[in-house]
Amino acid sequence: MDIKQLLKTFKKDDFFNSVNLHIHSNYSDGVEDFDSLVDQAKKLNMKYISITDHNSVEGYRNSKYKNDSILIPGVEFDCFYKTSPLHILGLGVDVDHKELNKLCSREKNDFIRLLKSRHPKKVIDTIHQSGGIAILAHPCCSFVISLKNYIKSLKKLGLDGVEVYYPYERLRGFVKFSSRQKAAIITKELCLLESGGTDEHSKLIKDQASQSKCTSDPR
């Protein structure tokens, strides 16, 4: 699977009616079983999903669906760069890759995860080595004055794309640093790939795009 070319084929309406590339299971901080999420996605007639647990690919190792065509193997790494913690998604990764697994941990606690934050250069390089692409998750949650300069500097480190279709643009529901519309514009200007997902931590629901007003437009 050429993950870059596949991502280029997805349109705005695909996120999240048939494609959701940011989901969490109970292998990290989600509540649903890994295989249950795949079952739910199949019932909803979704084409592709990626279960991107924090710093973990264990779900793929233990899943009966490991090689199912609906799954794009993924992971979400906790990082820290300049003034801000950030999350980088690895999509299309080899879950058995030795160096990728060295970056993983089984720690679910948010505070401990922050203390063990990784440098994005190391994360991006390792994702590439494992055959995947590196995507900046929920960019509007970054503690930065200039989102464009921040993303531009990450691109210099090898970042492949930005998550521009997701259901929220405020950190923890309170602090707003930017807008999804601005993130989408920056992504196009920098010729980066566009990705999207609900950052789901519970059950998958039908028509998440409309229920969450999940577009690149500001609320």
Side-chain angles (χ1 to χ4, degrees):
M1 176 192 298
D2 187 329
I3 184 62
K4 278 190 178 181
Q5 292 305 313
L6 180 62
L7 204 60
K8 289 178 181 179
T9 67
F10 298 150
K11 307 300 182 184
K12 176 179 175 179
D13 289 343
D14 292 324
F15 301 109
F16 307 96
N17 293 317
S18 61
V19 177
N20 190 337
L21 304 184
H22 192 164
I23 301 169
H24 294 279
S25 78
N26 57 9
Y27 277 95
S28 61
D29 55 350
V31 299
E32 292 289 299
D33 176 77
F34 189 102
D35 284 353
S36 174
L37 288 167
V38 180
D39 288 334
Q40 292 168 37
K42 286 176 175 287
K43 289 179 180 178
L44 293 173
N45 295 315
M46 299 187 75
K47 295 179 181 178
Y48 293 101
I49 64 169
S50 186
I51 299 178
T52 53
D53 285 313
H54 286 282
N55 315 308
S56 175
V57 292
E58 287 301 305
Y60 290 93
R61 286 208 186 83
N62 299 317
S63 174
K64 65 182 180 182
Y65 293 118
K66 177 179 179 179
N67 297 313
D68 196 290
S69 61
I70 196 174
L71 275 177
I72 296 175
V75 61
E76 182 174 20
F77 284 114
D78 294 275
C79 304
F80 195 92
Y81 184 55
K82 296 188 175 182
T83 61
S84 178
L86 72 155
H87 292 166
I88 293 180
L89 298 170
L91 300 178
V93 297
D94 176 1
V95 299
D96 295 317
H97 191 271
K98 184 177 179 180
E99 293 303 313
L100 185 81
N101 279 274
K102 285 182 180 179
L103 287 179
C104 293
S105 73
R106 296 183 180 181
E107 180 56 61
K108 297 183 180 182
N109 183 277
D110 284 343
F111 180 71
I112 299 298
R113 279 169 32 203
L114 181 60
L115 290 179
K116 294 182 178 179
S117 289
R118 300 137 184 87
H119 192 281
K121 175 63 175 173
K122 175 65 175 176
V123 167
I124 292 169
D125 286 348
T126 304
I127 288 171
H128 289 163
Q129 290 165 17
S130 74
I133 57 174
I135 304 292
L136 174 63
H138 37 67
C140 298
C141 292
S142 301
F143 291 93
V144 293
I145 296 174
S146 173
L147 184 61
K148 184 173 183 177
N149 287 340
Y150 193 67
I151 294 177
K152 187 182 292 186
S153 66
L154 286 169
K155 181 181 179 181
K156 290 180 180 178
L157 299 183
L159 186 74
D160 299 293
V162 178
E163 188 177 62
V164 298
Y165 303 114
Y166 63 98
Y168 58 91
E169 56 185 331
R170 297 177 185 272
L171 181 64
R172 301 297 188 193
F174 298 104
V175 183
K176 179 178 178 180
F177 292 94
S178 189
S179 70
R180 291 191 303 269
Q181 183 184 46
K182 183 176 181 180
I185 292 171
I186 292 169
T187 300
K188 290 183 186 299
E189 287 179 351
L190 297 179
C191 299
L192 291 167
L193 295 169
E194 295 182 351
S195 186
T198 58
D199 197 3
E200 189 59 61
H201 286 71
S202 56
K203 291 179 183 278
L204 299 181
I205 56 176
K206 188 65 175 175
D207 192 18
Q208 295 190 37
S210 61
Q211 290 193 39
S212 300
K213 297 181 181 178
C214 196
T215 70
S216 62
D217 301 321
R219 293 178 180 179

